[in-house]
């Protein structure tokens, strides 16, 4: 069916109180793990790549692989740029055929964040591609982006103003989640999330959802999160499986023997997350 944009699917998720996972992929093996499991679960899925991954794998290769999976499995697959850092990176991904863009201007002062996002929204919307932005800062390390401390939480009134001024399609909120693994127990600000949901209507995105308790993710979805980003847990499952092969057979030199168990380990995580966010069996319920 070719790649799709995320708009219709995130709105359906918002209206029906479930979420769609956005899984960070890096190469053919991780892309196959995510898309084959989404197919088996009959779930729409968002594949996402950070600028680091775009530089590593190539925007054109990523789109070609994602398209192949979409045609093969006939489920809605979105190719999304995660934490797009500047206009040129967005342009490169749009040219290659990405169907969803995140521009992250959250490290800039508010008015600058607005003008960066607005420019990307104008460009992307001209091509029919939706845009995610971030307000507040989500702590931790993602790709080359490192935020010290706990970050700054998203203010609901400012979120409303930001969406009005930028025309963005979805918003990543900072409510106490963190990229990577949690060093201390996360304190999620559910009241803040509920207030944001009350004030704004566009789909809300939870970053840093790896390593959160299942009940925390579920509560966030109940309170209005429609897209849940998963990166770190996938990487851990994949690399731990590769390490196990090396540990058991130090002389192993066949990539297929290394990566097949890694794909299987990642598939198990993907399946769990799809069940957790409630997107399984949603493909046939949305008219294409
Ligand atoms: Zn993120």
């Amino acid at each position: 069916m070719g790649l799709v944009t995320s708009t219709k699917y995130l709105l359906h998720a918002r209206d029906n109180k479930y979420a769609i996972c956005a899984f960070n992929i890096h190469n053919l093996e991780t892309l196959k793990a995510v898309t084959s499991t989404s197919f088996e679960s009959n779930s729409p899925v968002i594949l996402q790549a950070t600028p680091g991954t775009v530089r590593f794998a190539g925007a054109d290769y990523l789109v070609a692989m994602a398209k192949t999976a979409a045609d093969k499995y006939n489920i809605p697959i979105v190719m999304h740029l995660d934490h797009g850092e500047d206009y040129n990176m967005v342009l490169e991904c749009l040219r290659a055929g990405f169907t969803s863009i995140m521009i992250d201007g959250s490290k800039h002062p508010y008015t600058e964040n607005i003008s960066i996002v607005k420019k990307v929204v104008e460009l992307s919307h001209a091509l029919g591609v939706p845009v995610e932005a971030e307000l507040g800062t989500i702590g931790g390390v993602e790709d080359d982006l490192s935020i010290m401390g706990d970050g700054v939480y998203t203010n609901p009134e400012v979120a409303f103003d930001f969406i009005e001024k930028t025309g963005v399609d979805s918003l990543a909120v900072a409510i106490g989640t963190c990229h990577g693994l949690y060093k201390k127990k996360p304190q999620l600000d559910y009241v803040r999330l509920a207030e944001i949901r009350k004030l704004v209507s566009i789909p809300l995105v939870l970053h840093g959802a790896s390593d959160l308790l299942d009940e925390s993710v579920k509560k966030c979805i109940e309170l209005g999160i429609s897209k849940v980003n998963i990166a770190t847990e996938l990487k851990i499952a994949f690399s731990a499986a590769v390490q196990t092969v090396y540990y058991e057979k130090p002389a192993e030199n066949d990539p297929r023997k290394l990566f097949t168990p890694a794909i299987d380990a990642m598939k198990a995580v993907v399946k769990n997350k799809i069940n957790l966010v409630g997107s399984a069996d949603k493909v046939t319920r949305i008219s294409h």
Side-chain angles (χ1 to χ4, degrees):
M1 68 188 292
L3 296 176
V4 298
T5 68
S6 52
T7 313
K8 183 164 60 175
Y9 301 97
L10 289 181
L11 291 176
H12 188 270
R14 180 200 64 185
D15 295 345
N16 293 281
K17 294 255 171 166
Y18 67 95
I20 297 174
C21 282
F23 296 107
N24 285 74
I25 49 95
H26 303 92
N27 54 14
L28 178 65
E29 286 73 19
T30 50
L31 183 139
K32 283 175 91 171
V34 171
T35 54
S36 63
T37 312
S38 300
F39 168 71
E40 287 151 17
S41 300
N42 199 28
S43 169
V45 70
I46 299 169
L47 301 172
Q48 58 184 19
T50 61
T53 301
V54 171
R55 285 188 284 270
F56 167 75
D60 47 359
Y61 275 102
L62 290 168
V63 168
M65 290 191 294
K67 270 187 181 162
T68 302
D71 290 341
K72 179 181 170 77
Y73 293 128
N74 204 28
I75 56 168
I77 297 179
V78 176
M79 189 66 232
H80 175 73
L81 171 64
D82 187 27
H83 290 281
E85 54 199 6
D86 57 37
Y87 194 79
N88 287 341
M89 173 56 70
V90 170
L91 201 57
E92 182 185 342
C93 290
L94 287 172
R95 277 196 180 126
F98 276 52
T99 55
S100 177
I101 293 290
M102 177 189 187
I103 177 73
D104 181 1
S106 63
K107 65 179 180 211
H108 298 285
Y110 184 58
T111 48
E112 212 177 312
N113 190 355
I114 288 176
S115 65
I116 292 167
V117 171
K118 221 176 145 186
K119 212 173 147 198
V120 166
V121 167
E122 277 162 17
L123 171 70
S124 304
H125 282 187
L127 298 165
V129 172
V131 177
E132 173 185 333
E134 177 174 324
L135 198 56
T137 50
I138 295 158
V141 178
E142 168 141 348
D143 212 8
D144 306 326
L145 185 76
S146 174
I147 304 290
M148 300 307 287
D150 293 331
V152 180
Y153 286 16
T154 306
N155 176 305
E157 275 103 31
V158 178
F160 179 83
D161 182 65
F162 183 79
I163 294 161
E164 289 281 296
K165 287 187 173 138
T166 57
V168 80
D169 303 275
S170 60
L171 187 71
V173 290
I175 54 163
T177 57
C178 202
H179 292 120
L181 293 177
Y182 287 90
K183 292 183 188 78
K184 57 180 182 188
K185 196 168 171 264
Q187 298 291 334
L188 300 193
D189 192 341
Y190 296 117
V191 174
R192 183 180 298 269
L193 175 57
E195 280 171 12
I196 299 169
R197 178 73 294 164
K198 233 192 278 170
L199 276 182
V200 311
S201 62
I202 61 171
L204 302 176
V205 182
L206 189 68
H207 284 236
S210 279
D211 198 26
L212 277 185
L213 291 175
D214 284 359
E215 62 203 52
S216 304
V217 175
K218 274 191 179 150
K219 186 145 190 209
C220 288
I221 295 169
E222 249 168 60
L223 290 172
I225 289 289
S226 308
K227 172 174 178 262
V228 172
N229 287 7
I230 305 287
T232 306
E233 279 183 74
L234 299 181
K235 289 198 274 193
I236 290 171
F238 192 88
S239 52
V242 173
Q243 280 162 9
T244 301
V245 178
Y246 271 130
Y247 181 76
E248 287 169 357
K249 298 176 192 160
E252 183 58 65
N253 60 10
D254 183 340
R256 293 166 298 183
K257 300 272 170 59
L258 291 169
F259 291 145
T260 301
I263 291 171
D264 290 342
M266 201 163 142
K267 279 175 70 76
V269 178
V270 171
K271 190 176 178 193
N272 274 340
K273 296 298 178 188
I274 286 174
N275 289 334
L276 171 64
V277 303
S279 69
D281 290 324
K282 288 293 191 290
V283 167
T284 47
R285 309 216 183 136
I286 306 172
S287 54
H288 302 303

